[in-house]
Structure formats: structure tokens, C-alpha cells
Amino acid sequence: MANVFDLCFSRLSISCQVTYVILFISLAQPQNIVDFKPSYLTATGPTVTALLLGNASDISLNLRTVSPSNTTGSIGPPSCVAGVTQWVLTREQMGKTAVRVQLKLDKSLRLCGENESDTDCCPKPLCVLETLQVSACVGGTPQASLLIQARIFALLLPANAGSENKTVIPNQVYQPLGSCPCDLTFGACDVRCCCDTDCSSEDLKLFVSHCLPGPFGGQVSPASDYQCSVQSSKNSPDWFPFVCVNSPPENNPYLGLFYQGYTITPEPGPSFQSPVSPAPVPVNVYIQGSPIFTLNDQYFTIPQKVLGQCVNNAPVAFLKNFEVNCATLLRSCPTGSPLRTIPTDLRIKVKNGQGGDVLVDVIDEVAFDLSQFISSTDAPSAEGLVCENVTLALDYKLYWEGNDITSITVTQTVGTITFNSSVALTTRYSAVFLNGELMGETNSGNPGYQVGRPVIAGIVDTLDNNTGLVQRESISLWKPVSDGLCVSAEMKPILFGENSTSGCLLPVSRHNLSQCDLLRETVTSLQNNLMTATHVAKSGNPDPFTTTDWVNISFLTQNSSTAMEDSTNSCYGVPSHQHIHVWSLITGMVGGVPQRDIRALQVSYSMSPWTLDCGGGDVSPCVDPTETQLFPITSSVSFTDILVNTGPPKTRFQINFTEYDCNRNDVCWPELAFPITKYYTGEPYSQSLAKGLILVFFFITASILGTPWRQIRQAWK
């Protein structure tokens, strides 16, 4: 061919150029050349995979075990003669020019036990150590080869067969959960974790001299300084043998790294699904707070407020009074419960808590004045909707004795509502538990008042036998709603220990200001509605038949004389503000909670002038006698603690020098000898005194035998 190239390039003829192109094309034609990628592998597991690239349609694969030459150290040429091995060779066509070659070990990697006759296991930890050669041959001629160096260790399987039983967690007090922190794999032996119970004796032989040190490996290294065994004679002080401790290694401070001392109950995560209400579980005997059931084992329900929203089917709790108002915007006449309720739906049988039942007695009332139920509506037209027999209120009275419900009465108030497009309807629902004819009242503490509970007040009802019975009344503040006017305002009870101020607005016209005496009487009457009681309870659980449990309420007399005379557009001396002042005293502690008693309650009024404001260009209130302006009527309450045994004030030295103050320091030096005093009750006084004297003896002996005393004796000599 070299001659051909020389001849062609020398002559540069056209025929030679054509010959050169033909030769170049013939050389570029693909030949049956195949190659392994990669051509050398190191196997550490029972599976080996490689790729054979090229035209492998006529290729045959042969596997054999080879070994390097003892003289040259090299491996001989590939051979197309297969040998006997412990591997299984498979091939899979991956495309036109690629074949996946895979070898799998046909042998178990389990480590053989002692005196085991089974051959399908590994007698040594290094289970497989050999060199394999895979040859790709065409017609008995090798085309490519793959060398595999296999170095596979036996698997460390658990000594005991696994089971599906639940893991038994030991008691943390005696055996901590973290006794072997390096045991990270369940049911398998962790390398170098000598405390792993899954490791057999054969497994431990592999790394017994390389165990993980310290608490992570289940050991305490180094040992604690207080152990008598760790102190050498060279470095130990003279007094060390008297105070060192001989304690087992299991009792060490490292246990605190793994022992928490309490358990946490897992809480379910948030869910967007609607909660499933549990089925009612009837109770045999009613107690306070337990739900009341009907005869068919369903909850006895009345509309109530739950989380600020009205719920139509809320269970009624035994001895729990309530009164709620529910607002509904009506655009059409109601057809279902609770706004449309017939007496037969209310007349049901309720379990009485003693194995019997009671029938709910229904009393019907018709309301003609709907002002307290309809807050806003347009003037109805002739084409407006007329809704008859709309349920406006359901007032239940449940009579009880012991754990028994004796009778139930409900008063259903209905009315006819007329409106055009819509109307805002406010319905009332209440339940009161009566013991005979007396309503069960909740206390505000036992025995003293608790902060946040209502202040208990009452009036004395004198009977024929001169025995005073105190009937509970309310002490309230204004609670404005809707438009804030006093005519629609509600009242809220005074809560013990919580200062508060509230009020409402009273429309006043020029005509009202021309009758100042009548105006003052009207405002006084409104303020008196807040205070209907004459006595206040000293404690949170007063006895209505014991007058000594109650304190008279003092009222400051109003000054009727006015500094200025009334005029046409102004009135002076209007009692627009009512203030309630409560004095309380801490009388003791119950379970760490202070018990407070009320010592005095005083009601006072503040007078203020009311004058029409005609400024700002709006003079209509001063001209039109019927035009009104809004004037505030307010009420407030304040609580004052009475200090007892205050003593002389502390000096600056007592305030700043706190070294010996046991109340403000963790270390209390004045109580150093507390265990040997008679106030210590942890053990008998004789034992504590004996132990204290022994401890003093040890300190004296250590000081005499110690290094400082020896130096003093040497210096004295």
C-alpha cells in the first residue's frame, strides 16, 4: 500500500486520486471491534455490572478465575475457555451497540458459626478474595476482556432471629434508654459498637480492640474524679481517702445525658378535615358539668354560644346556668328549628339521673313588643313578608334535688315579624337550674375571692322570725352594645381584682335641659340600676343565712346644692359618673393561692354640668327643642389592697446588701446548720444530729492529718 501511495503522489493522476478515496473509505468501515467499559473493576459486594460496547451480535461471553504469575506478577492473555466459578454471568441488550454484563455471587455471605457443617456460608470474615476474567469472543478468538478483583467480607447479621414483637422499653429509672447510643441500626450489628446486643461473638472478634470510647460507645471514659480507683498515690491529696466514692460504673453522671425523667404524650397534628363527634356515652348519675341525656340516649340540646358562635345543638350541662343571645339576618320566613319550633318538638322526655325520666312542660307566650328582639328594620309595606309564630325566646327552668332532675319547664316566646327585604333578629336562649325555688348560684372562691370571679352582693330579706336571709343581687357596670345608647346597653358584673371603666350615651334635648330636676332623677335612676344590692359578701363562698359573712355597702350622700344655677340650655349637678371602690385584704394562703376578703365597698358619684354645644355651625340643638345631643354616663370600679404589718421601711444597706438574704440568694449561709436543727423534718432529729457530728469529726480529722497542719508542725519543730 505504501508503494501505491508513493506511485499516486508521484504521478498525481486522476486514477490515483480515485484509488486513494476508495482505500480511505474501506479503512473507515466499522469492524467487529468491542470493548468493556470499564475494563477493570473492584467488587466489594455480591453484584458486579459493566457495559460491552460495539457490535456484539456474534459475541460470546466466557468467565473464569485467574491468578497472577508467580514470576512476572502479570495475568495471562484472555481465553475463550470458560471455567468453574461461584458467580453467575448474565447479559442484557441495552441497544444496538451496548450490552449490560452482570455477575452475581451464587453464595451466602453469612458468617459460619462454630462447629457448623453447612458449606453455604463464609468460614472467615474475608469471604471472597479472587480475580475474575470475562472474555468477549468471536469464533473462539478473544476480542476484549474484563478483569474483576473481588474482595467481599461476610455480612454481620444479628445473633437472634428477628421477630415482629413490639420493642419493650426498659424503665428509665433503672436502665436508661441511652445506655448504648452507638446502636444506630435496628436488628443489625453496628461496627465498633461493642455494646450492641445484635452483635454475635464472632462479630465482636472483628473489632473488639477498636470499640468506640466514651458515653457514645456505652462506656464512661475517663472515669469520674470522685472514684477511689482513679486516684494515684502521687497526685491524690491526703484527705482524698475520706471523701472518695466506691460506686459501680453504671452509676455515673453521664446517665443525665440520656435520661429525661418524663414522657411526652404525642399530640395529633393539624388537620383540615372536619372533626368527627364521638357518640354520646350516657351517664348513670348526674354530677356538676355532666351532659344531660334524653330517653333515647341522645344529648339534651339548647342553642348556645361556642367560641363566640351560636350552635343550635349544644348539649346542656348539669347545674350550669347560661343565657345567650343569637343574632340572625332573616331574608325569608324561617321553616326549621330553632326559629320555627312547635310545642311537640319541645315536649320530650329527659332522663332524671335516677333511672327514670321527666317530661318537658311547655308554656307558650306571645310577644307583641318586638323592640328587644328586632334591632333594625324598615317600615313594612303592604307587600312585605309576614312571618307568624317565630320563636323569639326559649327559657328553660330545670328543677333538681341531689343528683336528680325533678322537673323541666320551658317558656316559649313567639311573635309575628313583618319586614320588607331583611330584618336583624335577636333570639334569647337560657337555662336555669333551681333547687326548689332557689336558683343555684356559683361561688367566686373557696374561701377567699379569686381574681377574675364576680363580686357577690345581695339584699337582706327580713323574715317574720327576725332571721335575715341574704338574697343575691348584682353589682354591675355598663356594657354598651350596638349604637352605644343607654336604652339598649347591657350590664356586666364586676370582676374581683380587675379595675374597669365603661359607659353609655344618653340623648338629651333642649326640652330635657329645661327640666333639670327630672333629668337628674333620670340619670340617678339609670345609675341605681347598676347597684341594686345593699350588702357585699366578705368571702367567695358566703352563707346566705349568716349576716356576719356580709358587709354593708356605704353610699356617699350626693350634694344637692349646686354652685351654679340651672339655665335654659344647661343643667348642673348631674350624677353622670358612678365610682365603686373596693378594699380587700389577704387573709391567708391555700395551696399557694392567696385568699382575699372584701373589707369595705363604697359607692360615690361625680357631678358634672351638661350644656348643649351649639358651636361648629350646628345651632339646631339650641333652636329646636326636640333636637338631641349625646351625653356620656359612665361607671368605674377600682380595687385597693390593704397592707398589714408593713413595719418600718428598709434602710439602704438592707436593700443593697443581699449576701445573707435567703429570699434573694440561691446560697443561704444562715441556714448552713439547718439539717441538725429541730426544724429539719426530713429524718429523725437524732439521726440528723449524729450525722452532723460525724461530718464535723471528719473535717477536723482531715484538717489535722492534711498537708497544711503537717507543714505547721514541721515549722514548729
Side-chain angles (χ1 to χ4, degrees), residues 476-478 500-503 527 530 576-578 633-637:
S476 307
L477 298 178
W478 291 113
S500 179
T501 301
S502 62
Q527 298 283 34
L530 301 176
S576 59
H577 179 71
Q578 180 191 74
I633 298 178
T634 57
S635 60
S636 62
V637 61

Side-chain angles (χ1 to χ4, degrees), residues 655-708:
I655 296 175
N656 298 330
F657 190 73
T658 60
E659 181 178 357
Y660 297 101
D661 190 352
C662 296
N663 295 328
R664 291 185 284 178
N665 286 283
D666 295 334
V667 179
C668 184
W669 291 107
E671 297 182 359
L672 179 62
F674 177 74
I676 60 176
T677 62
K678 62 180 180 179
Y679 301 104
Y680 177 67
T681 59
E683 55 187 351
Y685 177 71
S686 58
Q687 294 184 12
S688 60
L689 181 60
K691 293 179 180 178
L693 294 177
I694 293 174
L695 184 62
V696 172
F697 172 75
F698 283 159
F699 275 110
I700 295 175
T701 305
S703 62
I704 293 176
L705 301 178
T707 302

Side-chain angles (χ1 to χ4, degrees), residues 576-631:
S576 59
H577 179 71
Q578 180 191 74
H579 179 67
I580 302 173
H581 196 176
V582 182
W583 285 269
S584 62
L585 174 67
I586 298 179
T587 58
M589 303 284 289
V590 175
V593 179
Q595 303 297 313
R596 293 179 171 87
D597 286 356
I598 293 179
R599 294 299 181 178
L601 190 147
Q602 185 184 77
V603 181
S604 60
Y605 297 89
S606 298
M607 308 299 176
S608 62
W610 283 8
T611 304
L612 292 177
D613 185 11
C614 301
D618 186 12
V619 297
S620 57
C622 298
V623 177
D624 189 356
T626 60
E627 187 72 20
T628 61
Q629 282 189 355
L630 298 178
F631 289 84

